[in-house]
Amino acid sequence: MPAPLRLRLDGDALVQNWRTLDRMSGTAACGAAVKANGYGLGAIEVARRLADAGCRDFFVSNWQEAAELAPLGLTVSVLHGVRDEDMPAAATGFARPVLNTPTQVARWKAAGGGACDVMVDTGMNRLGVSADDIAGGLLDHLDIETLMSHLACADEDSPMNAVQRDRFAALAGATSAKRMSLANSAGIALDGYAFDLTRPGLALYGGVPRNELSAIRQVVRPEAQILQRRRVHAGDSVGYNALWTAEEDTEVAIVNLGYADGYRRHFTNVGAAFASGRVLPVLGRVSMDLVAIDIDAARDLAEGDWIELDYALPTSATASGLSQYELLTGLGQRFERAWTTS
């Protein structure tokens, strides 16, 4: 059944974004975070396209995500490590665990200590073993492919960035790790943070966490179909809580889209759509399944026509107050996802 809303996903932009980040990574290899179903775009299709472009390292959150990618035969690391429940899957070798705790390290050693990655905490206080754990021999006799850490404030000019970089650099040679990896998307834009492998996520998909990444291209364009046209007379209101009132007679389109699809209530009276280059403001409250759009500037639009929502991530984040990450990963399953080439 054809859906009344779709995501136009620009495959060329995705690949070009990876190539931009690869170039900015210098001599370091450039991987790709494809967790959360490829940040909402579809992990299998994202990973396939990036692998064809030359990407060789992929990162997911858990073993269920890794299993979905297994048929592609890629090198996948599972960022949340390995639980007891994960061991049967981990033993098959289709992905590597990123060990985060002494308990995980002990579990992996007890199972034979095959190839793994390790996360070390350098100040974010989220996941990772400590530098003291490493100095105490916790990682001895492990076959570590990549030692990694994660930057807490790379999207800001924070002194914490250099603190984490220096703490991480001090671990060079302290383990059996073949590579070291610190930089996420924003970290790639910082000088001296690439080490041997970078792990971009957001910027692959059109997010711009720092101004130095202005070359990143938009990948995701939501489109929705017009369900009804109506004329709202001056003095009448639109939507829940009557948050918009017409100052003059206005042509309005009601479209098949709402916060159940990830187009959040934050876009109430601040979102916009496009039709043939014309900007069409969102009117009133975004509801669960419907949004009202001012089409005075596009009166040729009719019931059944499609409009594109303004969803450039940096400007949409500013308008809505949501993070670029939320805007991407919150896009719902009612969208038909259609890959295109620009």
Side-chain angles (χ1 to χ4, degrees):
M1 185 68 65
L5 64 171
R6 62 197 179 199
L7 295 180
R8 291 289 184 188
L9 304 174
D10 189 333
D12 288 348
L14 174 74
V15 168
Q16 187 58 48
N17 288 343
W18 180 80
R19 287 175 174 158
T20 295
L21 295 162
D22 184 41
R23 183 173 61 255
M24 293 178 68
S25 297
T27 59
C30 184
V34 294
K35 59 184 181 175
N37 194 28
Y39 281 52
L41 277 63
I44 292 175
E45 189 64 21
V46 166
R48 185 186 67 77
R49 289 172 180 271
L50 294 181
D52 287 347
C55 183
R56 294 294 176 263
D57 298 275
F58 296 87
F59 300 88
V60 298
S61 290
N62 58 53
W63 287 90
Q64 183 181 40
E65 292 181 340
E68 292 171 357
L69 293 179
L72 299 181
L74 305 174
T75 300
V76 176
S77 296
V78 180
L79 292 165
H80 292 182
V82 60
R83 306 170 299 164
D84 279 332
E85 300 94 320
D86 301 321
M87 287 304 299
T92 68
F94 62 80
R96 289 197 306 266
V98 180
L99 304 177
N100 288 285
T101 71
T103 299
Q104 290 185 358
V105 170
R107 181 179 296 128
W108 193 246
K109 285 182 176 181
C116 63
D117 301 321
V118 173
M119 178 72 70
V120 58
D121 176 47
T122 54
M124 191 172 188
N125 282 303
R126 197 172 62 168
L127 292 178
V129 302
S130 70
D132 287 343
D133 289 331
I134 294 174
L138 176 69
L139 305 184
D140 291 355
H141 312 300
L142 274 180
D143 180 12
I144 304 172
E145 178 63 30
T146 307
L147 183 70
M148 60 184 71
S149 191
H150 196 66
L151 293 164
C153 304
D155 56 346
E156 303 172 355
D157 292 327
S158 169
M160 188 172 179
N161 294 327
V163 169
Q164 287 193 265
R165 178 198 60 202
D166 293 347
R167 287 174 178 171
F168 190 58
L171 296 173
T175 74
S176 64
K178 301 175 184 67
R179 303 185 298 180
M180 298 181 72
S181 176
L182 178 64
N184 54 5
S185 292
I188 290 173
L190 301 175
D191 186 30
Y193 289 71
F195 288 86
D196 305 305
L197 170 68
T198 61
R199 312 189 309 272
L202 178 69
L204 292 171
Y205 309 107
V208 183
R210 293 186 63 95
N211 291 334
E212 295 92 335
L213 294 167
S214 59
I216 292 299
R217 293 169 50 185
Q218 185 173 352
V219 176
V220 182
R221 288 179 167 82
E223 297 179 343
Q225 201 169 21
I226 295 174
L227 179 63
Q228 185 180 28
R229 270 197 61 165
R230 63 190 311 115
R231 188 169 182 79
V232 177
H233 297 288
D236 286 348
S237 61
V238 168
Y240 286 120
N241 307 113
L243 296 181
W244 181 85
T245 300
E247 296 181 357
E248 57 188 6
D249 290 358
T250 305
E251 293 296 320
V252 174
I254 309 300
V255 300
N256 275 283
L257 177 73
Y259 58 75
D261 306 299
Y263 194 75
R264 305 279 290 279
R265 289 176 66 165
H266 298 69
F267 287 104
T268 294
N269 281 332
V270 299
F274 301 124
S276 300
R278 294 161 291 188
V279 179
L280 312 174
V282 167
L283 303 178
R285 177 80 77 192
V286 174
S287 54
M288 184 182 292
D289 311 296
L290 299 168
V291 175
I293 305 290
D294 180 344
I295 59 169
D296 260 350
R299 297 192 177 201
D300 54 315
L301 290 173
E303 184 175 318
D305 287 344
W306 291 81
I307 59 173
E308 178 188 337
L309 279 297
D310 181 1
Y311 218 68
L313 293 175
T315 55
S316 292
T318 299
S320 66
L322 297 166
S323 77
Q324 296 179 60
Y325 298 89
E326 290 174 277
L327 292 173
L328 274 174
T329 60
L331 292 169
Q333 293 307 306
R334 294 195 293 191
F335 285 100
E336 175 187 342
R337 285 158 168 79
W339 286 90
T340 64
T341 55
S342 54

